[in-house]
Amino acid sequence: MEKPQNTTEELNRSLGLWSALSIVIGTIIGSGIFFKQASVLDSAGSSTLALLAWIIGGVITLTSGLTIAEIGAQMPYTGGLYVYIENIYGRLLGFLSGWMQAIVYGPAIIAAVAGFMSILMTELFSLSAAWRIPLAVVTILAIGGMNLLDNRVGAGFAILTTAGKLIPIAAIIIFGLFFGHENALGQTVSQVHQASGNFGVAVLATLFGYDGWILIANLGGEMKNPQKILPKAIIIGITTVLVIYTLITFGVFRFLPAAKIHQLGEGATGYLATAAFGKVGGRLLSIGIIISMMGTINGKIMTFPRIVYAMAKRRDLPFSRYLSYVTPKAKEPVVAIGFIIALATIMMCFFDPDHLSDLCVFTVYCFYTLAFFGIFILRRRNRGQGRPFSTPLYPLIPLISIAGGIFVLISEAFNDPWGVVLFVGITILGLPVLWVVKEMDKRRQI
């Protein structure tokens, strides 16, 4: 079988552990924990089950990270999941995983986070809903422009926003735990829409909040020592986020009654900020949350274009010559960055961010689950050879991650079958695109 080409020779290996860890935490903690509280509560039906959903989502994510850490340490190349799937299952599935991330998942998740962020921005500045898309587009363009510079600029921004987002997180946790008067456990939602879903959908919603943990793998070719740094960044980062999310959720339920969270929906966090800290304090806290989401967008804009770049280097995409271009000095894939931003902008104009968030999690978990199975294939294939990192409690941890992946896929298929068909269809569309690209390459060579 053909080994994946190392497409990292043109990129700078300048990222250390703190940069990688900041990207993991900064990419994960964004809009999900702040905007999904109501939808998780509505689907779960009670605050106890909602808190359990956040914990289960974190456990699924942690077992997933431990499984991928072993695979990623053996393949420290730019491209992440795209490279893993290809090396384990071959060119076609590898291409589809890259196509899915470049065309569906990456732009969709950037659009979803930017959409949630713009909701908070319009509330902060008392603007009408008509301003949401323009504000989101301007923010994405500004962050994308910053990422056209050296990758250390984006990494530095990740460190600053990760540090900055700790302020609103700490404020919500401390105020909720010590000044809230509600019973965090045992609250029920008396009026829940029939379309809200069930406990499985609640867990699925939390996974959007945890999503982004694997994106650091896309920068494997730009780390100083990826075999050691990548597993540490994934494991420490996910564990930290799991603890933070549990405390935030408990704090929210201590401060706001379940009925009020259900009534406020996506505006629950903004209401909490104002109610807890007054108008000025609430505005400052909202600004901190917006900065948090900007950090998340930055992490995704840093990582997803690397997948486009890696695929273009293999000549797997139309216009690969342009998409694989990197700037002479900063070594940044500028055309790939512009491509991802353009697709994200289009999706923002046609899809609701909450709907996008669920669908993009479903789509990526199709390939996550394949990668989780891949750890068994790699161990059998490389029997007797050393590994830079081994998943603890093998095979229990990979089996839990596989069960979690299957759980996600079944839950979303029952909850939104037509959305699933649409996103799966766009993913499969990549096969005829690949065939056309390769046929054109053959004709050029004749």
Side-chain angles (χ1 to χ4, degrees):
M1 183 184 64
E2 178 188 358
K3 294 286 184 182
Q5 178 183 348
N6 183 358
T7 60
T8 67
E9 64 276 359
E10 294 184 19
L11 302 176
N12 290 332
R13 287 190 179 271
S14 59
L15 301 180
L17 176 60
W18 285 108
S19 295
L21 191 57
S22 296
I23 291 170
V24 172
I25 297 175
T27 305
I28 295 176
I29 301 178
S31 59
I33 188 61
F34 301 118
F35 283 89
K36 285 287 188 177
Q37 294 291 346
S39 62
V40 172
L41 178 63
D42 285 354
S43 294
S46 74
S47 60
T48 303
L49 289 178
L51 184 62
L52 182 61
W54 282 103
I55 293 173
I56 290 177
V59 171
I60 291 174
T61 305
L62 182 57
T63 58
S64 302
L66 287 166
T67 304
I68 291 297
E70 177 175 322
I71 298 172
Q74 298 175 68
M75 307 178 206
Y77 310 129
T78 294
L81 187 64
Y82 165 54
V83 173
Y84 306 159
I85 295 293
E86 178 180 326
N87 191 33
I88 296 169
Y89 295 104
R91 287 280 286 133
L92 281 182
L93 278 177
F95 168 80
L96 282 181
S97 70
W99 172 268
M100 174 273 301
Q101 292 179 84
I103 304 298
V104 181
Y105 171 65
I109 202 164
I110 291 172
V113 175
F116 284 128
M117 180 202 64
S118 66
I119 292 172
L120 197 57
M121 292 177 78
T122 53
E123 292 176 353
L124 178 65
F125 298 109
S126 301
L127 299 174
S128 68
W131 282 93
R132 289 179 181 177
I133 291 178
L135 284 172
V137 171
V138 169
T139 303
I140 290 178
L141 289 175
I143 295 174
M146 179 184 63
N147 277 277
L148 299 180
L149 307 174
D150 189 281
N151 61 10
R152 285 173 291 189
V153 176
F157 186 71
I159 293 173
L160 289 175
T161 54
T162 299
K165 72 179 58 183
L166 295 179
I167 297 174
I169 287 170
I172 291 173
I173 292 173
I174 293 171
F175 195 89
L177 292 181
F178 296 102
F179 299 96
H181 302 291
E182 301 291 334
N183 292 320
L185 303 178
Q187 298 185 59
T188 58
V189 182
S190 57
Q191 295 179 343
V192 179
H193 300 297
Q194 291 183 350
S196 293
N198 50 41
F199 186 73
V201 177
V203 174
L204 180 70
T206 69
L207 290 174
F208 171 71
Y210 285 105
D211 192 61
W213 58 271
I214 200 174
L215 297 186
I216 188 61
N218 297 336
L219 299 170
E222 298 172 67
M223 293 179 190
K224 295 175 182 177
N225 189 350
Q227 287 86 355
K228 292 184 178 180
I229 290 177
L230 182 60
K232 286 183 180 179
I234 290 176
I235 295 167
I236 297 173
I238 293 175
T239 304
T240 301
V241 173
L242 171 56
V243 173
I244 289 172
Y245 278 13
T246 303
L247 291 174
I248 288 178
T249 302
F250 193 85
V252 170
F253 292 158
R254 280 277 294 166
F255 186 79
L256 293 175
K260 189 66 174 179
I261 296 172
H262 167 73
Q263 176 189 347
L264 293 169
E266 295 171 346
T269 303
Y271 176 87
L272 185 153
T274 302
F277 302 101
K279 189 172 183 180
V280 175
R283 285 181 176 274
L284 291 175
L285 197 61
S286 295
I287 291 171
I289 296 172
I290 290 171
I291 291 173
S292 167
M293 286 187 270
M294 286 182 177
T296 301
I297 294 170
N298 175 66
K300 297 181 190 308
I301 291 178
M302 278 189 72
T303 53
F304 282 118
R306 268 66 182 177
I307 301 170
V308 176
Y309 166 82
M311 295 181 72
K313 289 290 288 184
R314 299 290 300 275
R315 303 188 68 82
D316 283 350
L317 296 173
F319 311 107
S320 289
R321 175 185 173 187
Y322 304 101
L323 291 171
S324 62
Y325 173 78
V326 295
T327 54
K329 184 177 180 181
K331 303 298 182 183
E332 286 295 306
V334 292
V335 180
I337 291 173
F339 175 74
I340 290 291
I341 290 174
L343 287 181
T345 301
I346 292 171
M347 288 189 177
M348 274 191 294
C349 296
F350 293 98
F351 292 95
D352 172 76
D354 199 50
H355 191 205
L356 272 178
S357 65
D358 288 342
L359 287 174
C360 66
V361 168
F362 167 85
T363 309
V364 78
Y365 260 87
C366 293
F367 292 91
Y368 280 174
T369 307
L370 281 176
F372 302 154
F373 275 109
I375 193 173
F376 298 100
I377 298 173
L378 283 179
R379 287 219 177 186
R380 186 173 65 250
R381 184 186 300 171
N382 302 328
R383 187 175 298 158
Q385 300 180 20
R387 290 182 295 272
F389 174 82
S390 295
T391 299
L393 300 178
Y394 177 90
L396 179 61
I397 294 297
L399 289 175
I400 293 174
S401 66
I402 290 169
I406 294 172
F407 173 77
V408 168
L409 301 182
I410 293 174
S411 296
E412 182 61 14
F414 277 101
N415 184 57
D416 185 11
W418 289 112
V420 165
V421 168
L422 173 63
F423 270 46
V424 170
I426 296 174
T427 301
I428 295 175
L429 184 64
L431 290 177
V433 171
L434 178 64
W435 181 83
V436 170
V437 169
K438 293 306 178 184
E439 284 297 313
M440 292 177 65
D441 280 346
K442 289 179 182 177
R443 293 179 181 179
R444 290 193 193 99
Q445 295 171 6
I446 296 176

